Structure formats: C-alpha cells, structure tokens
Amino acid sequence: MTSAEPKPTILFVCVHNAGRSQMAAGFLRELGADRVEVRSAGSEPAHQLNPTAAEAMAEVGIDITDQHPKILTPDTVKTSDVVITMGCGDACPIFPGKRYEDWELDDPAGQGIETVRAIRDDIRARIEALLNSLEDAS
C-alpha cells in the first residue's frame, strides 16, 4: 500500500463494544500503525469497558482504557471498508461493496483472566491475518 492510496477503514462490531471489539481495535491500532483507520461499535453498548479485557490487553503492552463503548450506526458501517462482526447477529446493517467477516469468538463478559487471555490471543492472530490480507489486496 502506497501513501497515495486511501487507508482502509476497519470496523469491529460486537453487542456491548466493551470487550472483543475493543481488544481487536486495540491490536489493529497497535499492529496496523498508520496503515488503517480503526473503528469499533456495539449494537447495545455497555456503560463501560470490560475491565478484564483492559487488564489482558495491558499484559501485552496495549492500553485500551481510554476507549469507551459506542453505538453502532448505519453511517459507521456505510463509511467503513471492512466490517468485522463478533456475535452481534443480524444487528449490523449490510451495504453492498463492503467486505464482511464474522469472527466467532467467546464473549469475555463475566469471564476470568485466563479465559480472556485466550480470547485476546485468538483476536491477535486474526488481526495479524487481517493485516496480511489487506496488504495482499493492495
């Protein structure tokens, strides 16, 4: 991808936008650097970030504590290039010409740190594969 090309916009969507989608966004911001624009949202956003998800991310040197759950809007989907859903079912609107992926991931809500670490590591591997696919497509 050259600097003249527009950066792809990646949107991560889960129900509460407090765990999975926030961890994915944190990894993509870190690993994608300035090559992508990162967004996350939820169909029913929680009031706060999942503290165990934030703790698990801090263990790998990524601080997501400055993030907060945001509501999913049709415009957010419409203006994104890639939409990755994580257990939000049919709540995400579909627009032609977008790349959609559904990542089946356990919900970290109410889980202990060991379980959340496994979810975090799964998300990291998926983010690395996503970045490789974006580079291959450019």
Side-chain angles (χ1 to χ4, degrees), residues 31-63:
L31 301 174
D34 61 352
R35 297 176 290 167
V36 293
E37 182 180 333
V38 182
R39 299 174 175 169
S40 70
S43 53
E44 298 174 22
H47 296 292
Q48 65 182 23
L49 198 63
N50 178 324
T52 310
E55 178 184 350
M57 292 299 286
E59 290 177 351
V60 295
I62 299 174
D63 182 7

PDB file of all heavy atoms in Angstrom, residues 31-63:
ATOM      1  N   LEU A  31      -0.803  -2.754  15.768  1.00  0.00           N
ATOM      2  CA  LEU A  31      -0.100  -3.514  14.730  1.00  0.00           C
ATOM      3  C   LEU A  31      -0.250  -2.893  13.338  1.00  0.00           C
ATOM      4  O   LEU A  31       0.622  -3.051  12.494  1.00  0.00           O
ATOM      5  CB  LEU A  31      -0.596  -4.961  14.705  1.00  0.00           C
ATOM      6  CG  LEU A  31      -0.428  -5.741  16.011  1.00  0.00           C
ATOM      7  CD1 LEU A  31      -1.078  -7.105  15.905  1.00  0.00           C
ATOM      8  CD2 LEU A  31       1.046  -5.858  16.393  1.00  0.00           C
ATOM      9  N   GLY A  32      -1.350  -2.193  13.108  1.00  0.00           N
ATOM     10  CA  GLY A  32      -1.587  -1.578  11.805  1.00  0.00           C
ATOM     11  C   GLY A  32      -0.991  -0.199  11.680  1.00  0.00           C
ATOM     12  O   GLY A  32      -0.927   0.359  10.589  1.00  0.00           O
ATOM     13  N   ALA A  33      -0.582   0.345  12.812  1.00  0.00           N
ATOM     14  CA  ALA A  33       0.019   1.685  12.866  1.00  0.00           C
ATOM     15  C   ALA A  33      -0.823   2.675  12.072  1.00  0.00           C
ATOM     16  O   ALA A  33      -2.019   2.771  12.299  1.00  0.00           O
ATOM     17  CB  ALA A  33       1.461   1.636  12.405  1.00  0.00           C
ATOM     18  N   ASP A  34      -0.203   3.366  11.140  1.00  0.00           N
ATOM     19  CA  ASP A  34      -0.933   4.395  10.393  1.00  0.00           C
ATOM     20  C   ASP A  34      -1.440   3.883   9.041  1.00  0.00           C
ATOM     21  O   ASP A  34      -1.846   4.659   8.194  1.00  0.00           O
ATOM     22  CB  ASP A  34      -0.052   5.630  10.193  1.00  0.00           C
ATOM     23  CG  ASP A  34       1.210   5.321   9.408  1.00  0.00           C
ATOM     24  OD1 ASP A  34       1.489   4.137   9.132  1.00  0.00           O
ATOM     25  OD2 ASP A  34       1.933   6.273   9.060  1.00  0.00           O
ATOM     26  N   ARG A  35      -1.452   2.551   8.851  1.00  0.00           N
ATOM     27  CA  ARG A  35      -1.881   1.987   7.564  1.00  0.00           C
ATOM     28  C   ARG A  35      -3.387   1.804   7.455  1.00  0.00           C
ATOM     29  O   ARG A  35      -3.906   1.560   6.379  1.00  0.00           O
ATOM     30  CB  ARG A  35      -1.211   0.629   7.331  1.00  0.00           C
ATOM     31  CG  ARG A  35       0.301   0.727   7.230  1.00  0.00           C
ATOM     32  CD  ARG A  35       0.915  -0.629   7.106  1.00  0.00           C
ATOM     33  NE  ARG A  35       0.761  -1.333   8.375  1.00  0.00           N
ATOM     34  CZ  ARG A  35       0.969  -2.627   8.545  1.00  0.00           C
ATOM     35  NH1 ARG A  35       1.304  -3.395   7.537  1.00  0.00           N
ATOM     36  NH2 ARG A  35       0.825  -3.188   9.738  1.00  0.00           N
ATOM     37  N   VAL A  36      -4.094   1.892   8.583  1.00  0.00           N
ATOM     38  CA  VAL A  36      -5.544   1.670   8.603  1.00  0.00           C
ATOM     39  C   VAL A  36      -6.216   2.663   9.531  1.00  0.00           C
ATOM     40  O   VAL A  36      -5.592   3.209  10.441  1.00  0.00           O
ATOM     41  CB  VAL A  36      -5.901   0.233   9.069  1.00  0.00           C
ATOM     42  CG1 VAL A  36      -5.448  -0.807   8.076  1.00  0.00           C
ATOM     43  CG2 VAL A  36      -5.339  -0.052  10.443  1.00  0.00           C
ATOM     44  N   GLU A  37      -7.502   2.897   9.286  1.00  0.00           N
ATOM     45  CA  GLU A  37      -8.324   3.655  10.222  1.00  0.00           C
ATOM     46  C   GLU A  37      -9.142   2.624  10.989  1.00  0.00           C
ATOM     47  O   GLU A  37      -9.739   1.732  10.392  1.00  0.00           O
ATOM     48  CB  GLU A  37      -9.241   4.628   9.490  1.00  0.00           C
ATOM     49  CG  GLU A  37     -10.075   5.457  10.442  1.00  0.00           C
ATOM     50  CD  GLU A  37     -11.003   6.422   9.729  1.00  0.00           C
ATOM     51  OE1 GLU A  37     -10.697   6.842   8.607  1.00  0.00           O
ATOM     52  OE2 GLU A  37     -12.051   6.740  10.320  1.00  0.00           O
ATOM     53  N   VAL A  38      -9.182   2.750  12.305  1.00  0.00           N
ATOM     54  CA  VAL A  38      -9.808   1.750  13.162  1.00  0.00           C
ATOM     55  C   VAL A  38     -11.037   2.326  13.852  1.00  0.00           C
ATOM     56  O   VAL A  38     -10.981   3.427  14.413  1.00  0.00           O
ATOM     57  CB  VAL A  38      -8.810   1.251  14.236  1.00  0.00           C
ATOM     58  CG1 VAL A  38      -9.442   0.169  15.100  1.00  0.00           C
ATOM     59  CG2 VAL A  38      -7.524   0.757  13.587  1.00  0.00           C
ATOM     60  N   ARG A  39     -12.124   1.560  13.801  1.00  0.00           N
ATOM     61  CA  ARG A  39     -13.365   1.933  14.488  1.00  0.00           C
ATOM     62  C   ARG A  39     -13.905   0.715  15.231  1.00  0.00           C
ATOM     63  O   ARG A  39     -13.645  -0.414  14.839  1.00  0.00           O
ATOM     64  CB  ARG A  39     -14.430   2.370  13.489  1.00  0.00           C
ATOM     65  CG  ARG A  39     -14.074   3.561  12.655  1.00  0.00           C
ATOM     66  CD  ARG A  39     -15.124   3.806  11.622  1.00  0.00           C
ATOM     67  NE  ARG A  39     -14.857   5.023  10.865  1.00  0.00           N
ATOM     68  CZ  ARG A  39     -15.502   5.355   9.783  1.00  0.00           C
ATOM     69  NH1 ARG A  39     -16.464   4.585   9.304  1.00  0.00           N
ATOM     70  NH2 ARG A  39     -15.208   6.469   9.155  1.00  0.00           N
ATOM     71  N   SER A  40     -14.703   0.975  16.253  1.00  0.00           N
ATOM     72  CA  SER A  40     -15.435  -0.104  16.909  1.00  0.00           C
ATOM     73  C   SER A  40     -16.759   0.452  17.404  1.00  0.00           C
ATOM     74  O   SER A  40     -16.883   1.647  17.666  1.00  0.00           O
ATOM     75  CB  SER A  40     -14.628  -0.710  18.070  1.00  0.00           C
ATOM     76  OG  SER A  40     -14.526   0.205  19.144  1.00  0.00           O
ATOM     77  N   ALA A  41     -17.745  -0.442  17.500  1.00  0.00           N
ATOM     78  CA  ALA A  41     -19.072  -0.023  17.940  1.00  0.00           C
ATOM     79  C   ALA A  41     -19.846  -1.248  18.399  1.00  0.00           C
ATOM     80  O   ALA A  41     -19.440  -2.386  18.158  1.00  0.00           O
ATOM     81  CB  ALA A  41     -19.813   0.679  16.806  1.00  0.00           C
ATOM     82  N   GLY A  42     -20.980  -0.990  19.058  1.00  0.00           N
ATOM     83  CA  GLY A  42     -21.814  -2.083  19.537  1.00  0.00           C
ATOM     84  C   GLY A  42     -23.278  -1.840  19.267  1.00  0.00           C
ATOM     85  O   GLY A  42     -23.733  -0.694  19.225  1.00  0.00           O
ATOM     86  N   SER A  43     -24.019  -2.924  19.080  1.00  0.00           N
ATOM     87  CA  SER A  43     -25.456  -2.801  18.830  1.00  0.00           C
ATOM     88  C   SER A  43     -26.203  -2.401  20.100  1.00  0.00           C
ATOM     89  O   SER A  43     -27.245  -1.759  20.039  1.00  0.00           O
ATOM     90  CB  SER A  43     -26.011  -4.105  18.258  1.00  0.00           C
ATOM     91  OG  SER A  43     -25.675  -5.201  19.080  1.00  0.00           O
ATOM     92  N   GLU A  44     -25.676  -2.784  21.258  1.00  0.00           N
ATOM     93  CA  GLU A  44     -26.228  -2.389  22.566  1.00  0.00           C
ATOM     94  C   GLU A  44     -25.056  -2.061  23.484  1.00  0.00           C
ATOM     95  O   GLU A  44     -24.699  -2.851  24.357  1.00  0.00           O
ATOM     96  CB  GLU A  44     -27.055  -3.529  23.170  1.00  0.00           C
ATOM     97  CG  GLU A  44     -28.261  -3.932  22.351  1.00  0.00           C
ATOM     98  CD  GLU A  44     -28.966  -5.158  22.926  1.00  0.00           C
ATOM     99  OE1 GLU A  44     -28.815  -5.448  24.133  1.00  0.00           O
ATOM    100  OE2 GLU A  44     -29.659  -5.828  22.152  1.00  0.00           O
ATOM    101  N   PRO A  45     -24.408  -0.901  23.299  1.00  0.00           N
ATOM    102  CA  PRO A  45     -23.178  -0.606  24.036  1.00  0.00           C
ATOM    103  C   PRO A  45     -23.350  -0.635  25.555  1.00  0.00           C
ATOM    104  O   PRO A  45     -24.370  -0.196  26.080  1.00  0.00           O
ATOM    105  CB  PRO A  45     -22.788   0.790  23.581  1.00  0.00           C
ATOM    106  CG  PRO A  45     -23.740   1.190  22.527  1.00  0.00           C
ATOM    107  CD  PRO A  45     -24.825   0.188  22.442  1.00  0.00           C
ATOM    108  N   ALA A  46     -22.328  -1.168  26.196  1.00  0.00           N
ATOM    109  CA  ALA A  46     -22.282  -1.193  27.661  1.00  0.00           C
ATOM    110  C   ALA A  46     -21.995   0.218  28.172  1.00  0.00           C
ATOM    111  O   ALA A  46     -21.709   1.141  27.397  1.00  0.00           O
ATOM    112  CB  ALA A  46     -21.194  -2.153  28.118  1.00  0.00           C
ATOM    113  N   HIS A  47     -22.043   0.363  29.475  1.00  0.00           N
ATOM    114  CA  HIS A  47     -21.749   1.666  30.088  1.00  0.00           C
ATOM    115  C   HIS A  47     -20.259   1.898  30.251  1.00  0.00           C
ATOM    116  O   HIS A  47     -19.814   3.040  30.384  1.00  0.00           O
ATOM    117  CB  HIS A  47     -22.444   1.794  31.440  1.00  0.00           C
ATOM    118  CG  HIS A  47     -23.933   1.782  31.327  1.00  0.00           C
ATOM    119  ND1 HIS A  47     -24.645   2.805  30.745  1.00  0.00           N
ATOM    120  CD2 HIS A  47     -24.851   0.849  31.679  1.00  0.00           C
ATOM    121  CE1 HIS A  47     -25.935   2.516  30.754  1.00  0.00           C
ATOM    122  NE2 HIS A  47     -26.079   1.331  31.315  1.00  0.00           N
ATOM    123  N   GLN A  48     -19.481   0.795  30.237  1.00  0.00           N
ATOM    124  CA  GLN A  48     -18.042   0.937  30.417  1.00  0.00           C
ATOM    125  C   GLN A  48     -17.307  -0.222  29.767  1.00  0.00           C
ATOM    126  O   GLN A  48     -17.899  -1.247  29.449  1.00  0.00           O
ATOM    127  CB  GLN A  48     -17.676   0.998  31.902  1.00  0.00           C
ATOM    128  CG  GLN A  48     -17.971  -0.299  32.659  1.00  0.00           C
ATOM    129  CD  GLN A  48     -17.641  -0.187  34.129  1.00  0.00           C
ATOM    130  OE1 GLN A  48     -17.596   0.893  34.680  1.00  0.00           O
ATOM    131  NE2 GLN A  48     -17.420  -1.325  34.776  1.00  0.00           N
ATOM    132  N   LEU A  49     -16.024  -0.048  29.593  1.00  0.00           N
ATOM    133  CA  LEU A  49     -15.144  -1.064  29.055  1.00  0.00           C
ATOM    134  C   LEU A  49     -15.061  -2.240  30.025  1.00  0.00           C
ATOM    135  O   LEU A  49     -15.121  -2.049  31.246  1.00  0.00           O
ATOM    136  CB  LEU A  49     -13.764  -0.427  28.887  1.00  0.00           C
ATOM    137  CG  LEU A  49     -12.752  -1.081  27.990  1.00  0.00           C
ATOM    138  CD1 LEU A  49     -13.256  -1.104  26.553  1.00  0.00           C
ATOM    139  CD2 LEU A  49     -11.447  -0.307  28.062  1.00  0.00           C
ATOM    140  N   ASN A  50     -14.927  -3.447  29.506  1.00  0.00           N
ATOM    141  CA  ASN A  50     -14.746  -4.633  30.337  1.00  0.00           C
ATOM    142  C   ASN A  50     -13.360  -4.540  30.995  1.00  0.00           C
ATOM    143  O   ASN A  50     -12.346  -4.552  30.295  1.00  0.00           O
ATOM    144  CB  ASN A  50     -14.850  -5.883  29.462  1.00  0.00           C
ATOM    145  CG  ASN A  50     -14.626  -7.180  30.211  1.00  0.00           C
ATOM    146  OD1 ASN A  50     -13.819  -7.250  31.116  1.00  0.00           O
ATOM    147  ND2 ASN A  50     -15.327  -8.206  29.787  1.00  0.00           N
ATOM    148  N   PRO A  51     -13.299  -4.438  32.329  1.00  0.00           N
ATOM    149  CA  PRO A  51     -12.005  -4.250  32.982  1.00  0.00           C
ATOM    150  C   PRO A  51     -11.059  -5.439  32.805  1.00  0.00           C
ATOM    151  O   PRO A  51      -9.846  -5.264  32.770  1.00  0.00           O
ATOM    152  CB  PRO A  51     -12.362  -4.029  34.458  1.00  0.00           C
ATOM    153  CG  PRO A  51     -13.763  -4.498  34.613  1.00  0.00           C
ATOM    154  CD  PRO A  51     -14.415  -4.405  33.274  1.00  0.00           C
ATOM    155  N   THR A  52     -11.597  -6.645  32.678  1.00  0.00           N
ATOM    156  CA  THR A  52     -10.744  -7.814  32.476  1.00  0.00           C
ATOM    157  C   THR A  52     -10.137  -7.789  31.075  1.00  0.00           C
ATOM    158  O   THR A  52      -8.982  -8.167  30.878  1.00  0.00           O
ATOM    159  CB  THR A  52     -11.522  -9.114  32.721  1.00  0.00           C
ATOM    160  OG1 THR A  52     -12.196  -9.014  33.985  1.00  0.00           O
ATOM    161  CG2 THR A  52     -10.607 -10.321  32.764  1.00  0.00           C
ATOM    162  N   ALA A  53     -10.881  -7.319  30.082  1.00  0.00           N
ATOM    163  CA  ALA A  53     -10.338  -7.164  28.727  1.00  0.00           C
ATOM    164  C   ALA A  53      -9.211  -6.128  28.740  1.00  0.00           C
ATOM    165  O   ALA A  53      -8.160  -6.335  28.124  1.00  0.00           O
ATOM    166  CB  ALA A  53     -11.439  -6.749  27.755  1.00  0.00           C
ATOM    167  N   ALA A  54      -9.422  -5.033  29.440  1.00  0.00           N
ATOM    168  CA  ALA A  54      -8.391  -3.990  29.539  1.00  0.00           C
ATOM    169  C   ALA A  54      -7.146  -4.540  30.232  1.00  0.00           C
ATOM    170  O   ALA A  54      -6.013  -4.271  29.810  1.00  0.00           O
ATOM    171  CB  ALA A  54      -8.936  -2.778  30.276  1.00  0.00           C
ATOM    172  N   GLU A  55      -7.346  -5.341  31.284  1.00  0.00           N
ATOM    173  CA  GLU A  55      -6.219  -5.944  32.007  1.00  0.00           C
ATOM    174  C   GLU A  55      -5.441  -6.894  31.098  1.00  0.00           C
ATOM    175  O   GLU A  55      -4.200  -6.868  31.060  1.00  0.00           O
ATOM    176  CB  GLU A  55      -6.739  -6.704  33.230  1.00  0.00           C
ATOM    177  CG  GLU A  55      -5.668  -7.422  34.025  1.00  0.00           C
ATOM    178  CD  GLU A  55      -6.222  -8.257  35.172  1.00  0.00           C
ATOM    179  OE1 GLU A  55      -7.424  -8.156  35.494  1.00  0.00           O
ATOM    180  OE2 GLU A  55      -5.432  -9.025  35.743  1.00  0.00           O
ATOM    181  N   ALA A  56      -6.154  -7.722  30.342  1.00  0.00           N
ATOM    182  CA  ALA A  56      -5.497  -8.671  29.441  1.00  0.00           C
ATOM    183  C   ALA A  56      -4.696  -7.945  28.371  1.00  0.00           C
ATOM    184  O   ALA A  56      -3.594  -8.371  27.998  1.00  0.00           O
ATOM    185  CB  ALA A  56      -6.531  -9.599  28.803  1.00  0.00           C
ATOM    186  N   MET A  57      -5.227  -6.855  27.854  1.00  0.00           N
ATOM    187  CA  MET A  57      -4.508  -6.075  26.842  1.00  0.00           C
ATOM    188  C   MET A  57      -3.280  -5.395  27.448  1.00  0.00           C
ATOM    189  O   MET A  57      -2.226  -5.322  26.808  1.00  0.00           O
ATOM    190  CB  MET A  57      -5.438  -5.060  26.196  1.00  0.00           C
ATOM    191  CG  MET A  57      -6.534  -5.682  25.349  1.00  0.00           C
ATOM    192  SD  MET A  57      -5.925  -6.650  23.954  1.00  0.00           S
ATOM    193  CE  MET A  57      -5.375  -5.333  22.859  1.00  0.00           C
ATOM    194  N   ALA A  58      -3.405  -4.900  28.674  1.00  0.00           N
ATOM    195  CA  ALA A  58      -2.276  -4.253  29.342  1.00  0.00           C
ATOM    196  C   ALA A  58      -1.119  -5.246  29.508  1.00  0.00           C
ATOM    197  O   ALA A  58       0.051  -4.855  29.432  1.00  0.00           O
ATOM    198  CB  ALA A  58      -2.702  -3.691  30.690  1.00  0.00           C
ATOM    199  N   GLU A  59      -1.440  -6.520  29.700  1.00  0.00           N
ATOM    200  CA  GLU A  59      -0.399  -7.544  29.848  1.00  0.00           C
ATOM    201  C   GLU A  59       0.480  -7.662  28.601  1.00  0.00           C
ATOM    202  O   GLU A  59       1.616  -8.100  28.695  1.00  0.00           O
ATOM    203  CB  GLU A  59      -1.029  -8.908  30.135  1.00  0.00           C
ATOM    204  CG  GLU A  59      -1.652  -9.013  31.495  1.00  0.00           C
ATOM    205  CD  GLU A  59      -2.333 -10.355  31.735  1.00  0.00           C
ATOM    206  OE1 GLU A  59      -2.475 -11.160  30.785  1.00  0.00           O
ATOM    207  OE2 GLU A  59      -2.721 -10.602  32.891  1.00  0.00           O
ATOM    208  N   VAL A  60      -0.050  -7.272  27.440  1.00  0.00           N
ATOM    209  CA  VAL A  60       0.743  -7.323  26.205  1.00  0.00           C
ATOM    210  C   VAL A  60       1.151  -5.918  25.747  1.00  0.00           C
ATOM    211  O   VAL A  60       1.512  -5.702  24.599  1.00  0.00           O
ATOM    212  CB  VAL A  60       0.011  -8.097  25.077  1.00  0.00           C
ATOM    213  CG1 VAL A  60      -0.147  -9.560  25.450  1.00  0.00           C
ATOM    214  CG2 VAL A  60      -1.327  -7.473  24.736  1.00  0.00           C
ATOM    215  N   GLY A  61       1.037  -4.963  26.659  1.00  0.00           N
ATOM    216  CA  GLY A  61       1.535  -3.614  26.401  1.00  0.00           C
ATOM    217  C   GLY A  61       0.611  -2.707  25.611  1.00  0.00           C
ATOM    218  O   GLY A  61       1.061  -1.702  25.059  1.00  0.00           O
ATOM    219  N   ILE A  62      -0.671  -3.037  25.565  1.00  0.00           N
ATOM    220  CA  ILE A  62      -1.621  -2.196  24.834  1.00  0.00           C
ATOM    221  C   ILE A  62      -2.648  -1.649  25.812  1.00  0.00           C
ATOM    222  O   ILE A  62      -3.349  -2.416  26.479  1.00  0.00           O
ATOM    223  CB  ILE A  62      -2.309  -2.976  23.695  1.00  0.00           C
ATOM    224  CG1 ILE A  62      -1.256  -3.457  22.694  1.00  0.00           C
ATOM    225  CG2 ILE A  62      -3.365  -2.102  23.003  1.00  0.00           C
ATOM    226  CD1 ILE A  62      -1.794  -4.355  21.608  1.00  0.00           C
ATOM    227  N   ASP A  63      -2.718  -0.332  25.904  1.00  0.00           N
ATOM    228  CA  ASP A  63      -3.647   0.334  26.823  1.00  0.00           C
ATOM    229  C   ASP A  63      -4.923   0.711  26.065  1.00  0.00           C
ATOM    230  O   ASP A  63      -4.876   1.524  25.145  1.00  0.00           O
ATOM    231  CB  ASP A  63      -2.981   1.583  27.399  1.00  0.00           C
ATOM    232  CG  ASP A  63      -3.864   2.320  28.395  1.00  0.00           C
ATOM    233  OD1 ASP A  63      -4.952   1.816  28.751  1.00  0.00           O
ATOM    234  OD2 ASP A  63      -3.450   3.412  28.830  1.00  0.00           O
TER     235      ASP A  63
END
